[in-house]
Amino acid sequence: MRHPSAADTSRRKPSRIALVDANSFYVSCERVFDPSLAGVPTVVLSNNDGCVVARSNEAKALGIPMGEPWFKLAARAKEWGLVQRSSNYELYGDLSARFMELLGRHTNALEVYSVDEAFLGLNGEPEELVTEGQQIRRTVLRNTGLPVCVGIAPTKTLAKFANRIAKQNPAMNGVCNLDTMPPAHVDHIMSRVPVTGIWGIAGRLGKRLNSMGIFTIADLKASDPVVMRKKFSVLMQRTILELNGIPCIEIELEREDKKQMIFSRSFSTPVTTIAEMHQVLSIYAQSAAARLAKGEQLAKVMNVFAGTSHFHQSASSFPSVTVKLPAPTADPVILTKAAVGALDGVLMEGVPYARAGVILTDLSPAGYQPQFDEFVSVHEHRNIGDLLGKVKGKYGTASIGLGRAGMLAPPDWTMSRKHSSPRYTTEWAELPVVKAS
């Protein structure tokens, strides 16, 4: 039996779409380097250890809902044997990149949909694609330690549905190709799954559909796409057509021309002084500059904002200022001065700001248009932004900074991650140590 290769896929349009999704991604990442968590109810918490953003199957079995505040669970954690971990974005991002690189070996038609899932274009007979799906699972597990499931179908919407079936049916061994299932069997499953179980149908939209007598995926599939477009939108029409096997949503190949760059965080401790906020904006601007340099891009417009907690009495205090830069730039000095200066006269001393951010827009490729030397700063000639990014990448985010962004120790407002595991793959000092006996 000959399996389709990436070269085959590049020569002809993919006939089927696969959705590859990592199971409980954040928790699985934690288990890769800490096998003691296997079979143990585990949750991963959001920024500042606030709410549950990922759950193992064992945690789900305890009835722990997504988004549950940790303080409500902490009292019974020991009783349940529940383990919590702070979000380890450095580890998750690195394992995600490795995961996607492995998927790219199976096709030239790859759409990275999120940190833990991607659409692939594949060609082959139904049983060949099941074999290919199993090969994908083995490759990812062997090289990253991440368990994944694969759903294969004629359309993106059906591929998501097939992935759901693969996850919930152990007999399929993690791979579901709808083409290998009797149509009546697929229809029966659709008749038992709520309409909110399909891709793109959330709670509020599901309630509107319920009011029209559409309760299951089968009900939605049987509805008139033209009538539903008039009542809802073209997106609803596409969903219905895709449920009927008519491709309407193509795989979007990764584009390099990103139109904006955002660097924003919430603080673990409110920032109450203008001096501290200047430090925050300096760090964010320089981090954004490093990302621009890495992506070989320049920015022409910057938006700077800060805000209080939604629950604070001064929640209306949310200054936002847009700055047009003198020329397209990735210079950390220029960007830092612009970010700090943008909110001068707008920030108020004593206000407990809970978040802030820098947004760069009107991006263009570096070198796309020649610039007169008068408009190019000396720092760009010396590639200061690229240097900052490389030093931080090797020695940590607090290892270097310009002006107020230079720190000997992380300030109090940085994100709280009291239960974080080591970064393992992205920090030299935290590499795992293996001892042979």
Side-chain angles (χ1 to χ4, degrees):
M1 181 182 295
R2 179 177 178 276
H3 304 310
S5 66
D8 296 329
T9 304
S10 66
R11 284 193 288 267
R12 54 196 176 106
K13 186 175 181 180
S15 62
R16 288 297 180 264
I17 295 175
L19 188 279
V20 184
D21 182 15
N23 303 338
S24 302
F25 179 65
Y26 286 1
V27 173
S28 293
C29 288
E30 296 289 346
R31 286 174 168 173
V32 168
F33 292 98
D34 188 355
S36 68
L37 295 177
V40 175
T42 306
V43 295
V44 175
L45 306 177
S46 62
N47 291 350
N48 301 317
D49 296 337
C51 303
V52 173
V53 294
R55 305 161 295 165
S56 67
N57 287 335
E58 297 81 6
K60 294 175 184 177
L62 290 173
I64 297 174
M66 188 70 81
E68 184 78 354
W70 173 248
F71 74 85
K72 291 186 177 182
L73 302 172
R76 301 192 65 184
K78 187 175 182 179
E79 172 191 344
W80 290 336
L82 179 65
V83 175
Q84 82 277 31
R85 288 286 185 269
S86 302
S87 294
N88 190 339
Y89 297 119
E90 296 88 348
L91 176 64
Y92 307 155
D94 185 61
L95 288 180
S96 173
R98 299 180 188 210
F99 171 33
M100 298 307 169
E101 192 277 331
L102 291 169
L103 295 183
R105 300 180 186 182
H106 290 265
T107 180
N108 281 347
L110 173 68
E111 177 187 341
V112 179
Y113 184 68
S114 68
V115 69
D116 63 342
E117 58 183 329
F119 290 103
L120 287 72
L122 299 176
N123 281 307
E125 297 300 319
E127 292 301 332
E128 286 183 318
L129 293 184
V130 171
T131 302
E132 184 77 1
Q134 293 294 349
Q135 180 59 41
I136 289 172
R137 293 188 74 238
R138 287 192 295 269
T139 299
V140 174
L141 184 62
R142 181 175 64 250
N143 289 279
T144 67
L146 298 173
V148 303
C149 285
V150 183
I152 304 170
T155 70
K156 275 181 151 183
T157 303
L158 287 175
K160 290 277 282 187
F161 179 64
N163 187 279
R164 176 191 177 108
I165 296 175
K167 283 187 175 182
Q168 297 183 354
N169 190 338
M172 289 189 165
N173 197 24
V175 177
C176 174
N177 184 353
L178 292 187
D179 291 331
T180 65
M181 299 174 63
H185 188 186
V186 176
D187 289 340
H188 176 69
I189 296 174
M190 287 185 172
S191 69
R192 300 182 63 182
V193 179
V195 70
T196 50
I198 201 64
W199 185 35
I201 307 296
R204 184 177 299 178
L205 184 55
K207 290 180 180 179
R208 287 186 61 190
L209 290 169
N210 292 165
S211 69
M212 299 171 59
I214 298 174
F215 297 97
T216 67
I217 296 175
D219 295 335
L220 184 62
K221 179 183 177 181
S223 62
D224 188 320
V226 177
V227 172
M228 295 297 283
R229 174 175 179 166
K230 293 178 180 178
K231 291 182 177 293
F232 293 90
S233 68
V234 66
L235 297 178
M236 180 65 74
Q237 180 186 35
R238 289 174 182 170
T239 297
I240 296 169
L241 292 174
E242 290 233 330
L243 285 174
N244 284 277
I246 302 172
C248 298
I249 311 172
E250 295 185 356
I251 289 180
E252 297 181 10
L253 301 182
E254 185 176 0
R255 297 181 300 175
E256 297 297 330
D257 58 332
K258 296 179 181 178
K259 299 303 182 184
Q260 69 175 8
M261 182 176 295
I262 302 175
F263 202 97
S264 174
R265 295 288 188 276
S266 297
F267 311 140
S268 60
T269 302
V271 171
T272 59
T273 69
I274 294 177
E276 282 184 310
M277 186 59 74
H278 284 174
Q279 183 186 47
V280 171
L281 297 177
S282 296
I283 294 171
Y284 289 3
Q286 290 168 40
S287 297
R291 288 186 185 178
L292 285 174
K294 184 177 180 180
E296 299 183 346
Q297 290 183 302
L298 304 175
K300 186 65 182 296
V301 178
M302 171 187 286
N303 178 268
V304 186
F305 66 88
T308 57
S309 168
H310 294 296
F311 305 103
H312 193 270
Q313 59 184 5
S314 60
S316 59
S317 178
F318 201 106
S320 176
V321 176
T322 299
V323 179
K324 188 172 183 180
L325 302 169
T329 184
D331 180 2
V333 176
I334 292 177
L335 294 175
T336 299
K337 289 181 177 179
V340 172
L343 298 184
D344 271 353
V346 179
L347 294 172
M348 294 182 287
E349 197 78 25
V351 172
Y353 293 104
R355 57 197 183 279
V358 171
I359 304 174
L360 299 176
T361 57
D362 199 358
L363 305 187
S364 60
Y368 181 71
Q369 292 180 330
Q371 289 180 266
F372 295 111
D373 287 341
E374 289 77 5
F375 295 100
V376 181
S377 72
V378 64
H379 314 104
E380 287 185 285
H381 276 307
R382 296 174 179 173
N383 295 318
I384 299 298
D386 184 51
L387 174 63
L388 288 175
K390 289 179 178 177
V391 172
K392 289 183 177 183
K394 186 173 183 179
Y395 297 106
T397 56
S399 60
I400 191 172
L402 303 175
R404 293 179 181 273
M407 302 174 293
L408 293 177
D412 293 337
W413 50 262
T414 51
M415 186 170 60
S416 174
R417 294 192 288 183
K418 295 180 180 179
H419 310 288
S420 182
S421 55
R423 286 164 286 186
Y424 295 117
T425 63
T426 61
E427 187 70 24
W428 285 108
E430 298 177 15
L431 287 175
V433 177
V434 178
K435 297 180 181 179
S437 57

